[in-house]
Amino acid sequence: MEFETVIGLEIHAQMKTKSKIFCGCSTEFGAPPNTHTCPVCLGMPGSLPVLNKKVVENGIKLALSCGFTINKRNQFARKNYFYPDLPKGYQISQFELPIAEHGQIDIEVNGTEKTIGITRAHMEEDAGKLVHDDVEPESYVDLNRTGTPLLEIVSEPDLRSPEEAVAYLKKLHAIVRYLDISDGNMQEGSFRCDANISLRPMGQEELGTRTELKNMNSFKNVQLALEYEERRQRDILLDGGSVTQATLLWNPDKNRTESMRGKEEAHDYRYFPDPDLVPVVIDEQWIEQVRSGLPELPDQRRQRFIQALGLPPDDAALITASRELADFFEAVCEEYNNPKKVSNFIGTELLREYGPEQISQCPVSALQLAALLLMVEKGTISGKIAKTVFAEMLTTGADPEKIVKEKGLIQMSDEGELVALVREIIEANPEQARQYRDGKTKVIGFFVGQLMQKTKGKANPQLANKLFSKELQ
Ligand code: ADP
Ligand code: MG
Ligand code: ZN
């Protein structure tokens, strides 16, 4: 029996604002516990929330970037539940009237494009954090995170495989980072995802019973957790059993999902409009003002790199994976206008050491990389030596000219200098020389290799080839 996988994602993106959503407390990560708190985010009776305008602006930015309809009048609602990290006894969220509905983004998996619907995006506040003591049977409550602004983005159940889910997640991650509305740090929890997954017999319209997976703090874990859960549900269904609706936690150490809570604990949140907050009214002028400040988005930038710069689609996708990387690439191209060569070098030598999100930590500046590539272009050093020099630049941050000079890596492009060595090598290898003259011209590779060894890779390879074929005749 064939099954179809159905996945829908709920993403929480922490907004990159200086202060919290309803008070002036700082959102800075890693401060001593309970130092970024005030009566509002501690939920003191009588305190009143005041909405942070920046949060709404971020919501508008996302909405405009993903084809959402903006609800020009939207409303905060109280989501009631009891938990020790939630001092008010309710979370301020949006329910019936979220800021944005009916969005979509395009993803590409194995060369196939597909549009994924986004049901809604709404603004809400984060809860605090519980820290459980490893030894004592005690727990601590840190309310620094309470009131941190979030955008929750809920997809339609349009995803059909773990690969599609990860592609969607990566696309949204890139978008919020391009928009600079979230830092997207998955380890620190500022970009979290819950995945709902179910299977149904191929061809069946009705959705199967789903499980919800939590606690996946990397793209890799989302992929692994969904693959695991897909297998687990398939095995149950093939056995004639039925899947139990549940919330499961991904355990990355044991590579499996574990039960967190069952359906019997499903909540009734008793949502109602928050009487402390007036409805949010967004006028056309504000929308247009935000629209005019939008940056170029990943898809647009990729298209421009393909069309205007002539990059192959795969290279363009790689280079636009993050805004920093695309900026870095363009800065290099400004000095050395050869996009294909720049993207090749970045794709192999730079991305091997630094991921697309880590470019700001790379000690090599765009100017320095351009200088290095220009040295190859001018024939000062070979492409091979350039890789060695770059590795050194990555560790020391030194200028390529300095490294090349200090280590004596300048390419040997002088015929007179090389021809003596070429003759010496031919003389020392009469057997290979005879093979060459007998028509086995491929042995020229052997000779060039010998010369490279002797010159520590500094001989100009084109010149070496030319000299050997001339001297061997
Ligand atoms: P809840 O609020 O209880 O988490 P929602 O109906 O809002 O439930 O759905 C949450 C997410 O789960 C959405 O992304 C939705 O697309 C997805 N989803 C809903 N039903 C299914 C299903 N049967 N299989 C897979 N995903 C589903
Ligand atoms: Mg849910
Ligand atoms: Zn506060």
Side-chain angles (χ1 to χ4, degrees), residues 10 194 196 210 212:
E10 293 165 273
D194 301 336
N196 294 265
R210 66 175 152 142
E212 181 169 353

Side-chain angles (χ1 to χ4, degrees), residues 371-443:
L372 176 71
L373 295 175
L374 275 166
M375 288 172 91
V376 179
E377 183 77 18
K378 286 188 192 136
T380 315
I381 55 171
S382 69
K384 193 156 172 257
I385 292 285
K387 294 180 181 180
T388 320
V389 175
F390 187 68
E392 176 90 16
M393 290 163 76
L394 283 180
T395 43
T396 64
D399 285 337
E401 295 88 349
K402 181 162 171 273
I403 296 170
V404 167
K405 212 167 133 203
E406 274 178 14
K407 303 215 156 172
L409 296 172
I410 292 180
Q411 180 161 265
M412 298 168 74
S413 297
D414 181 59
E415 270 203 49
E417 198 178 358
L418 286 179
V419 80
L421 289 171
V422 164
R423 288 185 183 143
E424 214 176 276
I425 290 167
I426 293 174
E427 223 159 276
N429 298 283
E431 172 58 23
Q432 282 83 352
R434 194 185 49 75
Q435 287 176 6
Y436 182 87
R437 294 187 190 106
D438 286 351
K440 225 182 129 199
T441 52
K442 266 201 297 195
V443 291

Side-chain angles (χ1 to χ4, degrees), residues 20 23-25 36-42:
K20 295 184 180 183
C23 63
C25 293
H36 292 168
T37 53
C38 74
V40 173
C41 55
L42 290 175

